[in-house]
Amino acid sequence: MSANAHPTPTIEPTSDAAVDQLLALARNASRNVEEHDPIDYWYRLGQRNAYAHAIGQLLAPVVGHDPFAIAERITTALDAGASEISDLRAAGYAHGVAAPPPKWAIEWTGPKAFDSQHRNIRGIDRDYGMRWGPRSNQRISLRLDGDTATHGLLYAYDPTWQEYAVLSPTAARAAVDRAFAHATDTDIHMSIESFAQLVAGYGAALDSADRDTVHVVEAQL
């Protein structure tokens, strides 16, 4: 039998046309996402995130990044108002950065330490499920002081070790909701660290969008 009878398979290079087509689909789906639409909001957001995740799977072998991180960069750019395919492509490739960002550092504490530090924060906990982390049993909660509160204490609880971790002392409710939708579409057992990174990314995108809106209004006055 010839030594070349079974050649080593090679990975075909990613088609720029395929990536651009998916980017266009993600952009178009993002334009249809209306946060105040109680019926179609989650469906349309999930559709957009699914396209972004497909792009992440395509680009991961090329850029050497986690596909989830690539998808997050694209959705963050969309939330910030990016609409040009070139800008979205640059976000996907991370502008040529070869190394992924460092992982989010989470500090776990016991119930007494957590209670002593945060018992003065009023509000009712809004739970996002008890299925996160390596054992799929960690809970994520957002403590909000009333139905109209826009920011709150985002924290996690690990029942195995009976420990708590603060993910953000002032997380935006909208950012947490979007991170939850993203995680539901991509990884329902996502690590606490990755979820915290998602919230931070969406929070930054929302802040940037708010600043841009203020600048436009000021320019029109």
Side-chain angles (χ1 to χ4, degrees):
M1 181 181 292
S2 171
N4 295 326
H6 299 286
T8 302
T10 58
I11 298 176
E12 295 295 329
T14 300
S15 168
D16 290 339
V19 172
D20 287 354
Q21 185 177 25
L22 285 170
L23 286 170
L25 289 171
R27 178 197 60 193
N28 295 342
S30 185
R31 287 173 175 170
N32 292 326
V33 174
E34 174 54 55
E35 189 170 347
H36 301 292
D37 184 346
I39 298 177
D40 293 332
Y41 170 74
W42 294 111
Y43 168 76
R44 291 172 175 172
L45 186 67
Q47 186 182 46
R48 182 203 68 174
N49 292 346
Y51 287 132
H53 193 64
I55 299 167
Q57 295 289 345
L58 277 178
L59 292 184
V62 178
V63 299
H65 294 184
D66 181 76
F68 172 78
I70 298 171
E72 179 188 349
R73 291 198 297 266
I74 294 169
T75 55
T76 299
L78 287 169
D79 284 336
S83 60
E84 296 295 331
I85 297 300
S86 57
D87 294 335
L88 295 174
R89 190 190 308 114
Y93 280 96
H95 300 287
V97 176
K103 286 189 175 294
W104 196 274
I106 298 296
E107 181 179 354
W108 294 92
T109 61
K112 289 184 178 180
F114 178 82
D115 185 58
S116 65
Q117 295 175 20
H118 305 290
R119 62 187 171 190
N120 61 325
I121 299 178
R122 299 174 50 192
I124 298 175
D125 289 347
R126 184 184 189 193
D127 286 335
Y128 289 84
M130 198 166 188
R131 63 187 185 196
W132 311 99
R135 292 177 297 276
S136 304
N137 67 343
Q138 293 173 336
R139 186 180 72 232
I140 295 177
S141 303
L142 178 65
R143 186 170 299 174
L144 295 167
D145 189 6
D147 293 336
T148 60
T150 59
H151 292 73
L153 173 71
L154 182 66
Y155 69 94
Y157 173 68
D158 188 319
T160 302
W161 307 106
Q162 296 185 347
E163 291 182 327
Y164 294 83
V166 174
L167 308 185
S168 173
T170 56
R173 180 175 181 171
V176 179
D177 285 345
R178 293 188 181 191
F180 176 71
H182 193 150
T184 301
D185 290 335
T186 57
D187 184 0
I188 62 173
H189 303 298
M190 182 182 293
S191 70
I192 295 297
E193 292 83 358
S194 294
F195 191 90
Q197 284 182 307
L198 259 187
V199 173
Y202 278 118
L206 290 170
D207 288 343
S208 176
D210 288 342
R211 287 193 297 269
D212 290 343
T213 301
V214 170
H215 292 159
V216 169
V217 171
E218 290 177 344
Q220 292 175 343
L221 294 178

